[in-house]
Amino acid sequence: MRIINYLKKHLFQIILLIVVLILLYLSFYPLYMLLIKSFKTISDDQSNPFGFPNPFTFANYQYAWVVVKPYLFNSLFITITETLGVVFIASFAAFAFVKFKFPYKNIIFYLIISLLMVPGIVTLTSQYELVNKMNLVNTYAGVILPAISGSLPFAIFLLRTSFGGVNQELLDAGEIDGASNFQLYRHIMLPLSKPIVWTLVITTFIGGWNDYIWSSLILLDEGIQTLPIGLVSFTQFYYTMTGGYGVPFAAYVISSLPLIIIFLIASKQFIAGLTSGSIKM
């Protein structure tokens, strides 16, 4: 009887717990499969696809590093350049919207924000035509510049909201002390908005690192292709030849390490940015 009463009293919490556990399972099971298969031999993967590796082998990671290494620089260069470009351009623009008064400021800001409502896939063809006419196909710039421009509306909105929450008295005090506009931006705005800036850094880096569609359209030569393009091609080739996924999955684990590292470095700032009230996700 006590059990029945307890269940009735805490029915909602029990249902919520079950839902959370199901979601956790659905989220972590693919990661579990990725890890265990990355340590399996080809024969073990074929005979025991869902069980633990028997035996464990690290040879997959040695082979995978040979596959990943040629694409690693390309991905790092493109992603870091995109991230720096988005953060600096958006922060300058957001500071201008907060600090300066100029004609039609609000109208311009709302026009920028309205671009968030346009799905990126809708402009894919016209964007490719523009890049092609500018002779940027098969170049790093053909990937980097459109990625920066496409990320700016959200980045400006995010940083402008955060910068707008900075106490105006701090800016006034800085001006009284003789600080230039750049010094106000560098020493007041950015430090006080560090959680949001790091949130933008992480989201931009992840988006650039995982981009496949646009990069595959622009980067035609294998020597300048990024990790997602190289790994997709290699996975198809390897499975066709061997019927296993051990080495490709090991390559996926290696390729995810930069994302894990940057998240570990900025995890506190990222969580603070999500919970600060300046961003809703």
Side-chain angles (χ1 to χ4, degrees):
M1 197 67 182
R2 289 181 179 179
I3 297 177
I4 295 176
N5 292 333
Y6 178 85
L7 292 176
K8 289 181 179 180
K9 184 178 180 180
H10 300 281
L11 180 61
F12 177 75
Q13 290 89 335
I14 294 173
I15 294 175
L16 185 61
L17 177 61
I18 293 173
V19 171
V20 170
L21 291 175
I22 293 173
L23 292 176
L24 286 174
Y25 174 80
L26 294 175
S27 299
F28 283 99
Y29 185 74
L31 297 178
Y32 161 78
M33 293 300 300
L34 175 69
L35 286 174
I36 66 169
K37 282 182 175 290
S38 68
F39 292 102
K40 287 187 174 186
T41 62
I42 296 174
S43 59
D44 187 28
D45 189 15
Q46 293 173 342
S47 61
N48 184 28
F50 301 106
F52 281 98
N54 184 25
F56 273 84
T57 176
F58 291 91
N60 292 340
Y61 282 86
Q62 296 175 345
Y63 186 3
W65 174 246
V66 175
V67 175
V68 167
K69 188 166 56 174
Y71 304 103
L72 190 59
F73 170 79
N74 299 331
S75 284
L76 285 173
F77 176 76
I78 290 174
T79 305
I80 292 174
T81 306
E82 287 178 8
T83 303
L84 292 177
V86 170
V87 171
F88 281 110
I89 296 174
S91 61
F92 288 145
F95 180 75
F97 277 114
V98 171
K99 181 67 175 60
F100 304 122
K101 294 182 179 179
F102 51 88
Y104 309 110
K105 180 174 75 172
N106 290 333
I107 294 177
I108 294 173
F109 178 71
Y110 288 127
L111 286 175
I112 293 174
I113 297 306
S114 66
L115 296 175
L116 291 172
M117 302 179 185
V118 181
I121 196 69
V122 173
T123 61
L124 193 64
T125 302
S126 58
Q127 188 171 264
Y128 180 83
E129 290 182 357
L130 176 62
V131 170
N132 189 36
K133 289 180 179 179
M134 296 176 67
N135 295 320
L136 295 179
V137 174
N138 212 29
T139 65
Y140 290 136
V143 176
I144 294 170
L145 295 179
I148 291 176
S149 64
S151 301
L152 284 178
F154 174 73
I156 293 173
F157 167 73
L158 188 67
L159 292 177
R160 195 256 192 186
T161 304
S162 179
F163 287 179
V166 175
N167 195 327
Q168 182 62 37
E169 294 179 359
L170 291 175
L171 300 178
D172 295 338
E175 289 182 333
I176 292 174
D177 291 338
S180 64
N181 287 322
F182 181 77
Q183 289 173 326
L184 294 176
Y185 160 83
R186 171 66 181 84
H187 297 290
I188 296 179
M189 283 297 191
L190 287 183
L192 292 178
S193 302
K194 190 180 294 184
I196 299 299
V197 173
W198 274 108
T199 300
L200 182 61
V201 168
I202 291 176
T203 54
T204 305
F205 191 93
I206 292 175
W209 188 262
N210 292 329
D211 176 64
Y212 173 77
I213 296 177
W214 182 248
S215 297
S216 63
L217 289 174
I218 300 300
L219 304 177
L220 305 179
D221 292 343
E222 186 176 357
I224 61 173
Q225 288 178 343
T226 56
L227 268 172
I229 303 173
L231 291 182
V232 168
S233 300
F234 173 71
T235 301
Q236 295 172 347
F237 168 78
Y238 187 86
Y239 183 77
T240 301
M241 296 298 295
T242 66
Y245 285 108
V247 175
F249 280 17
Y252 295 151
V253 173
I254 295 174
S255 67
S256 67
L257 291 179
L259 302 180
I260 296 173
I261 291 172
I262 192 173
F263 181 78
L264 290 177
I265 292 173
S267 59
K268 291 183 179 180
Q269 299 291 347
F270 179 70
I271 294 172
L274 294 180
T275 59
S276 65
S278 296
I279 176 174
K280 305 292 185 182
M281 290 186 116

